[in-house]
C-alpha cells in the first residue's frame, strides 16, 4: 500500500488537518479557492485559510453570525464578502510574492453596547518554529525558515491579545463599546521558501557488524592494578579466538576465559596446549612469568621483567596478541579477571583489548569476605561469588555456619537452616572461582544457635551446657558434655568442607550472661577459662591438620585499639595471649575509623599471624587496610552481618554492607592509594556487578543513511547545521551510526512535508540481512495532532511477507521539539541533543520480528502533510553470527 496520505489531494489534506485539529468543526466543501504567486486563499465553511508554498499559515474567522457571500479574484487582489445577523464584512487581500496584506471593514448592525472581541486570526505554530511567541500587534522574528513578520491590528481596535490554543497562536482584537465599524488589518511577510531538502549523494549502505550490541566494563579497573600503561595499538578478537595454555595449572583460568568469551561475546574459542619453544600464534597466551616470553615482554616494557610475588601476573596487549604471564595458578586466574575488564566494544562493532602493559599483584595474600549462611545463601552468596567477589579478586570466603542442618543435632535446626549439601555446593562454586572457603563455627561465646536463643527467645535446648542458663549465650568450658556437642559439630564441618583453616569465633564473651559463674567455673580466672577452651579446640583441630583462626577482641586491652578491645579490666582476658599457641591466626576486627590501629602490631609482636577485619564503614576499610599492611598483617577480611534468616532481604535492608565489598576489594588488593579517591560510587559499582549484563551480545547490521540524508537536524530548531554532529552512538548498549555528511554534520532522511521542498515521498533501503529485531532512530520535523498517522515503515521479508508499521503521532513518534512521552512501549527516548537554539529529541523505536527473518527491504514513507518523518539511524540485531571469518 502507498503512504496513507499519498492519494489525498493537497487541499483535502489541509482541510483534513484543520478538521482534525479544530474540535467540533465540520469539514465543508471549499467554496472559494484561489492561488497566486505561491499564495492560496481558501474559504471553506466559516473559515478562511491562507497558505503559502503549500503550508497553511493562517486560519481566519469571520465575525460571528456572518457567512461567506462571494469572492472575487483580480490579478493579485482577492476580495471576499461576508454577511449575516452580525453585520457585513468586506475583506481585501493584496498579494505580492513574499507578502500578504489584508484589510477588513466590518459593519455591525447596531453600535456595540459593550466591548467587542473578535478572535480573528490563528497562526500555525510551525510557522513560528525557532522564534519566540507573539505578544504584541507586531511580530517580527527569525524562524527556522528565515525572517517572518506578522502584524495583526486595526484602526479603532483597543488591543491585540495573543493566546496559545490547541491549533496554534490566536490573535484576538478588542474594540471599545459604542463602535459601529470594526477595522481589522493583517500583514504577513514570509521568506521566499520554507526548508529545502538536499539532493541524495548516493544510496544507503548496509554494514554487517560482528557485535552490534554487548555490555562491556565501563568502570575503572577494579581492584586498581599496581602498575600499568596504555600501549598504542589494540588486539582485535575475531569471531574465532585462539587461547594458548603453556601450563596445565593455568587451565582453569583458560577455561574460565573460554566460557566468558563464548557466553558474553559470542566468540568461538579454541583452547590449545602450547609451549614456549613452539611458534607463537596470534591469540591469547597464558604462560608462566618464568618463561622465555618474559624476555620478549620485557623488551617491550622493562617493568614487566622483575620477579612477581605470589598471585602476580603481567599482561600485555598488542595487535599480535594478549600475553598473560603469571606467577602461579592464582595469578593466571586474576589476570583473566583483569582481561574481562579490559575487553571493549568499539563503535565499529569490533571486540578489542586496548594496547596495554600491566604488572599486578596483591598487597595482601589473604583477601577475604565473611558471610553468615542461611537458607537463602545459594541465591545470594552464590551470585556474589560469581558476579562480585571473584571478579574483584577476593580469594577467601569465611562462611559462618551456625545454621546448618546438622546431621547429629537436628535439635539445632531453625527454619532458615541451610542443608549441608547446599553449603557444600556453595563451596564448590567458591573454589571454581578461586576462593578458598574457611568455615566459622562460633564457640564459647555467641552460641545462641546451640541453645535456640536466637531472636531473643529463651533457651529451648542444651540448657545444661549453658554457662548462665538464664542468659544462654556462652557454654561452660568445664563440662565434658559441652565438648561432645561442639566436637560433633566441628566434626561435621570438617567432614563437609575439608578446610585448611577453621575459625572458632570467641568474640564478645562478656556480652550476655555471667561468664565463669557456674558451680564448676566459679573462682577460676576468666582469662584462663577462655584460654583453656581455645587450647582444647585448637588441639582438636590441629590433630586433624586444620589451622585455627579466632576473633581478637578479647585479647586486646582498651589502650591497644580504639574499638573492639574487650580484654581489659576487671577480668583482663588479654592475659590469655601468653597462654595461646602462636600458630593461631588472630582475626582482629575494628569497625570504626580510628586515627591509628595499634592492635595489629600488638599481636604481631607476640608472634601471631593477623588478619585485619572491617565492616561497612568505608573510611575504616581504607585506614585499617593501610595500617594492617604497614604492620605486616597477612590480610584483610570484610565482614557481612546479615544471615540468621534475613539474607533474603539483605540487599534491600543493608545496601551499605554490599557497597562496602567494592571498596574492600579495591583496598585489600592495592593498599597504598585510597579507594575512596578513585571517584566511583561503591553502591552503583556493586549494583552494576550484581545485576550483570542487561542485554545479550548480538550480531547484526547497521544502516548508514548518510548518503541519502537530506536535512541537517540542527536546522529544525534554527541552529547552525554544524551544531549537531553525527557520529556513532550507543543506545541501550546497541550501536547506531547516525547519518552525517563528510563534515560530520548530523542529518536525517526527511520525507515530504509542506515545510520541506524537494523531499521524497518515501525511501527504500535494500537490506538483505537477517534480523530478529530492528531499531529505528526517528522523529518528525513538526508536530501533528495526537494519533495522526504521520508515516510508517513497510518491511519486505524473505518469503515475500510484508510487515507494515504505521507511525502514529504520540505513540511511536513525536516531533524533534516534542519531549512528551510516547504511548507505544516499543518506543522510548534515545537522545536529547542540545543546540544553542533548543534541543532535538530523537526516539528509538524497536520492532521485534517473529524469529529471525531476512529483511529484504525497508520502505520508509510519509503520510502527513506537515509532520515530515525523519529517520536518523537503523540497526538490526540477530543472535546468530552474520560475519563470516576470513580463513
Ligand atoms: Zn562453667
Amino acid at each position: 500500500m502507498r503512504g496513507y496520505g499519498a492519494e489525498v489531494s493537497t487541499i483535502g489534506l489541509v482541510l483534513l488537518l484543520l478538521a482534525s485539529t479544530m474540535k467540533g468543526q465540520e469539514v465543508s466543501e471549499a467554496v472559494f479557492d484561489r492561488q497566486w504567486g505561491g499564495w492560496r486563499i481558501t474559504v471553506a465553511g466559516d473559515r478562511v485559510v491562507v497558505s503559502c508554498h503549500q503550508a497553511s499559515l493562517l486560519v481566519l474567522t469571520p465575525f460571528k453570525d456572518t457567512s461567506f457571500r462571494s469572492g472575487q479574484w483580480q490579478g493579485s487582489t482577492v476580495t471576499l464578502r461576508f454577511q449575516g445577523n452580525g453585520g457585513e464584512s468586506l475583506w481585501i487581500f493584496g498579494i505580492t510574492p513574499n507578502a500578504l496584506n489584508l484589510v477588513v471593514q466590518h459593519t455591525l448592525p447596531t453600535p456595540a453596547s459593550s466591548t467587542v472581541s473578535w478572535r480573528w486570526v490563528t497562526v500555525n505554530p510551525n510557522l513560528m518554529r525557532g522564534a519566540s511567541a507573539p505578544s504584541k500587534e507586531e511580530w517580527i522574528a527569525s524562524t527556522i525558515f528565515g525572517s517572518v513578520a506578522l502584524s495583526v491590528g486595526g484602526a479603532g481596535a483597543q488591543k491585540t491579545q495573543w493566546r496559545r490554543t490547541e491549533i496554534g497562536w490566536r490573535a484576538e482584537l478588542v474594540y471599545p463599546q459604542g463602535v459601529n465599524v470594526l477595522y481589522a488589518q493583517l500583514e504577513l511577510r514570509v521568506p521566499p521558501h520554507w526548508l529545502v531538502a538536499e539532493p541524495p549523494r548516493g544510496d544507503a549502505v548496509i554494514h554487517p557488524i560482528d557485535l552490534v550490541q554487548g555490555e562491556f566494563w565501563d568502570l575503572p579497573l577494579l581492584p586498581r592494578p599496581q602498575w600499568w600503561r596504555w600501549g598504542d595499538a589494540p588486539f582485535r578478537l575475531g569471531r574465532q579466538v585462539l587461547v594458548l595454555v603453556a601450563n596445565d595449572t593455568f587451565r582453569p583460568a583458560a577455561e574460565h576465559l573460554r566460557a566468558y568469551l563464548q557466553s558474553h561475546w559470542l566468540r568461538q574459542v579454541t583452547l590449545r596446549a602450547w609451549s614456549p619453544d613452539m611458534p607463537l600464534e596470534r591469540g591469547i597466551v597464558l604462560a608462566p612469568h618464568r618463561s622465555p616470553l618474559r624476555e620478549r615482554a620485557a623488551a617491550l616494557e622493562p617493568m614487566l621483567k622483575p620477579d612477581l610475588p605470589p598471585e602476580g601476573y603481567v599482561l600485555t596487549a598488542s595487535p599480535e596478541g594478549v600475553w598473560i604471564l603469571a606467577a602461579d595458578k592464582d595469578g593466571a586466574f586474576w589476570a583473566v579477571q583483569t582481561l574481562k575488564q579490559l575487553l571493549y566494544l568499539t563503535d565499529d562493532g569490533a571486540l578489542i583489548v586496548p594496547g596495554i602493559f600491566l604488572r599486578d599483584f596483591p598487597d595482601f595474600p589473604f583477601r577475604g569476605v565473611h558471610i553468615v549462611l542461611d537458607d537463602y545463601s545459594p541465591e545470594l552468596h552464590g551470585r556474589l561469588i560469581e558476579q562480585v567477589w571473584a571478579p574483584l579478586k577476593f580469594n577467601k570466603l569465611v562462611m559462618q555456619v551456625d545454621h546448618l542442618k546438622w546431621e547429629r543435632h537436628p535439635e539445632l535446626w531453625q527454619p532458615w537452616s541451610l542443608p549441608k549439601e547446599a553449603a557444600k555446593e556453595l563451596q564448590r562454586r567458591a573454589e571454581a572461582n578461586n576462593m578458598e572457603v574457611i568455615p566459622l563455627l562460633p564457640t564459647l561465646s555467641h552460641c545462641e544457635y546451640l541453645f535456640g536463643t536466637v531472636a531473643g527467645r529463651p533457651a529451648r535446648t542444651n540448657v545444661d551446657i549453658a554457662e548462665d542458663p538464664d542468659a544462654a549465650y556462652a557454654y561452660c568450658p568445664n563440662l565434658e558434655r559441652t565438648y561432645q556437642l561442639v566436637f560433633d559439630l566441628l566434626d561435621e564441618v570438617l567432614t563437609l568442607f575439608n578446610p585448611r583453616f577453621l575459625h572458632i569465633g570467641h568474640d564478645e564473651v562478656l556480652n550476655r550472661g555471667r561468664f565463669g559463674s557456674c558451680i564448676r567455673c566459679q573462682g577460676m580466672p576468666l582469662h584462663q577459662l577462655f584460654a583453656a577452651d581455645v587450647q582444647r579446640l585448637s588441639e582438636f583441630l590441629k590433630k586433624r591438620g586444620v589451622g585455627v583462626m579466632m576473633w581478637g577482641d578479647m585479647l586486646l586491652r582498651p589502650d591497644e585499639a580504639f574499638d573492639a578491645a574487650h580484654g581489659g579490666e576487671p577480668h583482663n582476658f588479654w592475659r590469655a595471649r601468653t597462654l595461646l599457641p602462636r600458630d593461631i591466626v588472630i582475626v582482629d576486627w575494628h569497625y570504626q575509623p580510628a586515627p591509628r590501629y595499634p592492635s595489629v602490631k600488638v599481636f604481631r609482636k607476640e608472634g601471631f599471624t593477623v588478619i585485619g577485619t572491617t565492616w561497612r564503614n568505608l573510611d575504616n576499610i581504607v585506614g585499617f587496610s593501610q595500617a594492617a599492611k604497614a604492620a605486616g598483617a597477612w590480610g584483610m577480611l570484610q565482614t557481612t552481618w546479615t544471615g540468621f534468616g534475613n539474607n533474603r532481604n539483605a540487599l534491600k535492608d543493608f545496601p551499605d554492607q554490599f557497597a562496602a565489598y567494592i571498596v574492600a576489594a579495591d583496598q585489600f588488593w592495592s593498599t597504598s592509594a585510597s579507594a575512596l579517591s578513585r571517584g566511583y560510587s561503591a553502591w552503583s559499582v556493586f549494583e552494576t556487578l550484581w545485576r550483570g549484563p542487561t542485554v545479550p551480545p548480538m550480531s547484526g547490521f547497521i544502516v548508514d543513511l548518510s548518503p541519502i540524508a537530506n536535512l541537517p537536524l540542527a536546522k529544525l530548531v534554527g541552529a547552525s547545521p554544524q551544531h549537531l554532529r553525527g557520529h556513532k552512538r550507543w543506545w541501550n548498549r546497541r550501536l547506531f551510526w547516525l547519518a552525517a555528511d563528510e563534515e560530520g554534520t548530523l542529518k536525517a532522511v526527511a520525507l515530504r512535508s509542506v515545510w520541506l521542498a524537494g523531499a521524497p515521498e518515501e525511501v527504500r533501503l535494500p537490506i538483505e540481512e537477517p534480523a530478529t529485531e530492528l531499531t529505528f532512530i526517528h522523529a518528525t520535523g513538526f508536530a501533528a495532532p495526537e494519533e495522526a498517522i504521520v508515516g510508517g515503515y513497510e518491511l519486505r521479508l524473505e518469503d515475500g511477507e510484508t510487515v507494515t508499521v504505521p507511525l502514529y503521532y504520540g505513540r511511536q513518534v513525536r516531533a524533534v521539539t516534542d519531549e512528551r512521552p510516547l504511548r507505544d512501549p516499543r518506543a522510548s527516548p534515545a537522545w536529547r541533543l542540545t543546540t544553542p537554539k533548543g534541543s532535538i529529541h530523537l526516539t528509538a523505536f524497536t520492532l521485534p520480528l517473529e524469529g529471525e527473518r531476512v529483511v529484504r527491504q525497508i520502505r520508509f514513507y510519509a503520510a502527513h502533510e506537515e509532520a515530515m518523518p525523519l529517520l536518523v539511524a537503523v540497526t538490526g540485531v540477530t543472535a546468530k553470527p552474520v560475519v563470516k571469518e576470513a580463513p
Side-chain angles (χ1 to χ4, degrees):
M1 158 198 139
R2 295 194 58 208
Y4 174 82
E7 280 108 338
V8 186
S9 72
T10 303
I11 183 64
L13 268 170
V14 170
L15 297 173
L16 193 69
L17 169 71
L18 294 172
S20 58
T21 53
M22 294 177 188
K23 286 193 177 147
Q25 298 296 332
E26 294 290 319
V27 180
S28 309
E29 292 285 310
V31 291
F32 180 87
D33 187 3
R34 293 288 183 275
Q35 296 187 55
W36 190 89
W39 293 89
R40 176 176 200 159
I41 294 166
T42 309
V43 184
D46 54 356
R47 291 286 182 275
V48 180
V49 178
V50 175
S51 308
C52 185
H53 310 311
Q54 323 285 316
S56 102
L57 306 182
L58 308 174
V59 176
L60 303 167
T61 314
F63 198 75
K64 62 186 173 193
D65 301 328
T66 58
S67 307
F68 180 64
R69 281 288 175 268
S70 65
Q72 223 184 0
W73 170 61
Q74 216 165 24
S76 59
T77 305
V78 174
T79 308
L80 305 179
R81 286 174 198 281
F82 295 83
Q83 200 170 358
N85 303 340
E88 55 178 48
S89 308
L90 177 66
W91 298 31
I92 299 169
F93 292 85
I95 300 171
T96 65
N98 294 320
L100 173 138
N101 275 281
L102 168 59
V103 290
V104 173
Q105 181 181 322
H106 182 86
T107 309
L108 296 171
T110 54
S113 57
S114 60
T115 56
V116 175
S117 98
W118 186 4
R119 294 172 177 176
W120 185 35
V121 180
T122 303
V123 184
N124 185 340
N126 291 338
L127 175 65
M128 300 179 165
R129 169 69 70 78
S132 54
S135 59
K136 299 180 298 192
E137 201 177 309
E138 298 272 334
W139 183 76
I140 299 173
S142 173
T143 70
I144 65 169
F145 313 107
S147 177
V148 173
L150 175 65
S151 82
V152 179
Q158 284 174 315
K159 57 182 174 181
T160 304
Q161 292 182 156
W162 286 95
R163 196 163 179 203
R164 187 79 162 97
T165 72
E166 240 174 272
I167 60 164
W169 282 94
R170 189 184 65 201
E172 177 178 0
L173 296 174
V174 181
Y175 300 88
Q177 185 183 356
V179 73
N180 198 12
V181 179
L182 311 181
Y183 295 100
Q185 189 183 336
L186 178 151
E187 187 180 349
L188 174 63
R189 271 184 291 119
V190 296
H193 50 77
W194 309 127
L195 298 174
V196 179
E198 298 166 7
R201 291 162 296 150
D203 294 318
V205 185
I206 317 302
H207 297 269
I209 296 277
D210 180 6
L211 283 162
V212 84
Q213 170 173 298
E215 210 155 338
F216 52 84
W217 184 270
D218 51 7
L219 297 166
L221 291 173
L222 274 171
R224 190 175 63 84
Q226 299 286 355
W227 180 90
W228 78 95
R229 75 170 172 86
W230 298 106
D232 297 327
F235 174 71
R236 290 171 75 101
L237 290 86
R239 187 152 287 269
Q240 321 264 358
V241 179
L242 180 61
V243 177
L244 300 171
V245 197
N247 188 325
D248 262 0
T249 56
F250 292 177
R251 201 158 260 275
E255 294 286 1
H256 185 94
L257 177 62
R258 164 155 72 182
Y260 175 78
L261 290 174
Q262 284 171 342
S263 66
H264 203 97
W265 293 114
L266 301 176
R267 303 299 91 180
Q268 293 154 12
V269 181
T270 307
L271 232 158
R272 193 185 298 160
W274 175 84
S275 74
D277 51 14
M278 289 162 71
L280 192 57
E281 291 178 72
R282 196 179 165 279
I284 301 173
V285 182
L286 283 90
H289 190 235
R290 292 173 185 281
S291 75
L293 269 188
R294 171 181 176 166
E295 290 305 324
R296 289 178 63 176
L300 303 170
E301 170 51 59
M303 280 294 283
L304 307 185
K305 184 163 185 186
D307 282 346
L308 290 167
E311 298 187 74
Y313 63 92
V314 302
L315 187 155
T316 73
S318 70
E320 290 72 49
V322 174
W323 298 350
I324 288 169
L325 308 180
D328 50 27
K329 166 181 174 286
D330 298 325
F333 191 85
W334 304 136
V336 166
Q337 305 311 314
T338 303
L339 179 56
K340 282 156 67 178
Q341 297 185 10
L342 287 168
L343 284 163
Y344 178 81
L345 202 50
T346 71
D347 53 18
D348 294 316
L351 184 62
I352 64 159
V353 182
I356 195 168
F357 302 98
L358 186 145
R359 170 183 163 82
D360 200 15
F361 53 86
D363 280 343
F364 286 121
F366 187 108
R367 303 175 307 282
V369 173
H370 155 274
I371 53 170
V372 181
L373 296 188
D374 72 9
D375 60 327
Y376 193 65
S377 286
E379 289 83 354
L380 177 68
H381 298 133
R383 191 176 169 97
L384 285 167
I385 289 168
E386 284 154 13
Q387 304 272 118
V388 182
W389 298 331
L392 298 187
K393 305 187 177 85
F394 280 110
N395 64 349
K396 311 285 175 184
L397 183 56
V398 175
M399 281 186 181
Q400 189 169 328
V401 292
D402 315 22
H403 299 294
L404 289 185
K405 288 197 167 171
W406 307 101
E407 247 164 77
R408 275 172 271 172
H409 293 280
E411 79 276 10
L412 306 184
W413 292 10
Q414 295 289 349
W416 56 86
S417 291
L418 182 68
K420 282 164 69 175
E421 185 41 48
K424 183 67 190 174
E425 175 56 26
L426 213 46
Q427 182 188 28
R428 278 192 282 263
R429 286 171 82 175
E431 288 174 354
N433 285 277
N434 225 40
M435 295 182 81
E436 176 186 357
V437 167
I438 298 163
L440 188 164
L441 187 73
T443 48
L444 187 63
S445 54
H446 275 295
C447 289
E448 293 95 332
Y449 69 102
L450 295 179
F451 309 112
T453 49
V454 287
R457 270 170 258 151
R460 66 165 198 210
T461 181
N462 296 315
V463 188
D464 57 312
I465 65 163
E467 179 66 11
D468 180 348
D470 297 330
Y473 168 78
Y475 57 62
C476 175
N478 267 315
L479 196 60
E480 271 320 291
R481 242 284 287 160
T482 294
Y483 294 98
Q484 284 167 15
L485 174 60
V486 171
F487 290 164
D488 270 0
L489 301 184
L490 284 176
D491 191 51
E492 282 195 38
V493 171
L494 298 186
T495 308
L496 181 65
F497 294 110
N498 192 26
R500 290 199 303 151
F501 285 94
L502 187 132
H503 190 313
I504 59 169
H506 279 65
D507 55 330
E508 302 179 322
V509 173
L510 300 177
N511 261 27
R512 288 185 62 211
R514 295 157 297 164
F515 184 66
S517 66
C518 86
I519 189 120
R520 298 164 296 270
C521 297
Q522 266 174 26
M524 285 183 72
L526 299 196
H527 77 276
Q528 285 180 18
L529 284 172
F530 179 89
D533 179 64
V534 175
Q535 283 157 0
R536 188 153 185 193
L537 297 174
S538 169
E539 272 163 35
F540 176 89
L541 292 166
K542 255 183 240 171
K543 253 186 237 162
R544 284 159 175 78
V546 177
V548 180
M549 294 185 179
M550 65 180 285
W551 298 121
D553 56 308
M554 298 311 295
L555 303 174
L556 289 174
R557 293 193 308 263
D559 62 306
E560 291 169 329
F562 285 79
D563 70 340
H566 302 132
E569 295 291 346
H571 301 295
N572 291 305
F573 276 74
W574 70 273
R575 293 202 175 110
R577 282 192 322 228
T578 58
L579 305 174
L580 298 184
R582 303 291 107 170
D583 56 3
I584 290 183
V585 177
I586 303 298
V587 185
D588 181 23
W589 59 274
H590 300 286
Y591 297 160
Q592 298 306 320
R596 283 168 291 114
Y597 296 83
S599 54
V600 179
K601 261 188 199 139
V602 169
F603 287 122
R604 291 289 296 141
K605 234 185 234 169
E606 304 218 356
F608 292 104
T609 300
V610 185
I611 294 167
T613 300
T614 48
W615 190 26
R616 59 188 175 183
N617 185 293
L618 305 182
D619 290 318
N620 183 58
I621 292 170
V622 174
F624 194 10
S625 299
Q626 292 177 333
K629 177 65 189 168
W634 182 23
M636 293 293 294
L637 177 65
Q638 179 64 20
T639 56
T640 316
W641 293 107
T642 70
F644 315 106
N646 70 354
N647 277 328
R648 190 165 268 97
N649 298 317
L651 277 174
K652 185 164 60 69
D653 293 346
F654 311 101
D656 52 342
Q657 300 197 43
F658 294 87
Y661 292 145
I662 308 302
V663 175
D666 208 359
Q667 201 67 46
F668 294 177
W669 180 273
S670 183
T671 54
S672 52
S674 166
L676 299 180
S677 64
R678 297 190 69 197
Y680 57 75
S681 146
W683 174 250
S684 76
V685 171
F686 174 81
E687 266 194 316
T688 303
L689 299 185
W690 171 259
R691 189 178 55 226
T694 53
V695 299
M698 293 274 208
S699 293
F701 62 85
I702 277 171
V703 183
D704 184 1
L705 297 166
S706 300
I708 58 168
N710 55 5
L711 184 67
L713 272 182
K715 278 195 173 182
L716 288 168
V717 286
S720 159
Q722 290 77 34
H723 271 127
L724 291 181
R725 316 294 293 174
H727 46 99
K728 295 159 182 177
R729 272 177 181 256
W730 299 90
W731 175 77
N732 217 10
R733 317 262 173 192
R734 191 168 282 188
L735 182 59
F736 295 89
W737 292 5
L738 278 58
D741 61 17
E742 286 80 1
E743 286 76 45
T745 302
L746 176 61
K747 291 188 170 182
V749 177
L751 299 184
R752 170 187 56 71
S753 158
V754 294
W755 298 108
L756 179 64
E761 175 79 26
E762 61 172 42
V763 294
R764 289 165 192 263
L765 309 172
I767 305 290
E768 301 294 345
E769 290 289 336
T772 51
E773 197 172 271
L774 299 169
T775 300
F776 301 90
I777 303 294
H778 68 200
T780 63
F782 294 91
E786 294 290 304
E787 296 295 321
I789 295 178
V790 296
Y793 299 108
E794 185 190 83
L795 275 53
R796 223 154 42 72
L797 304 178
E798 52 195 327
D799 47 8
E801 192 192 331
T802 299
V803 175
T804 305
V805 185
L807 298 176
Y808 289 82
Y809 195 81
R811 284 199 224 173
Q812 295 86 12
V813 72
R814 284 194 182 279
V816 289
T817 50
D818 184 347
E819 55 188 311
R820 288 174 297 167
L822 291 145
R823 289 189 294 277
D824 186 331
R826 298 173 298 176
S828 49
W831 302 292
R832 177 179 192 270
L833 311 171
T834 48
T835 81
K837 292 290 188 71
S839 299
I840 293 271
H841 300 264
L842 297 176
T843 292
F845 174 61
T846 297
L847 182 65
L849 303 176
E850 287 166 7
E852 183 174 277
R853 311 290 293 274
V854 172
V855 179
R856 296 223 173 283
Q857 188 194 70
I858 300 171
R859 189 170 73 87
F860 175 48
Y861 60 88
H864 190 271
E865 199 62 15
E866 293 197 64
M868 189 200 293
L870 302 169
L871 185 58
V872 178
V874 185
T875 291
V877 299
T878 172
K880 281 191 209 153
V882 294
V883 179
K884 279 116 207 151
E885 193 81 4

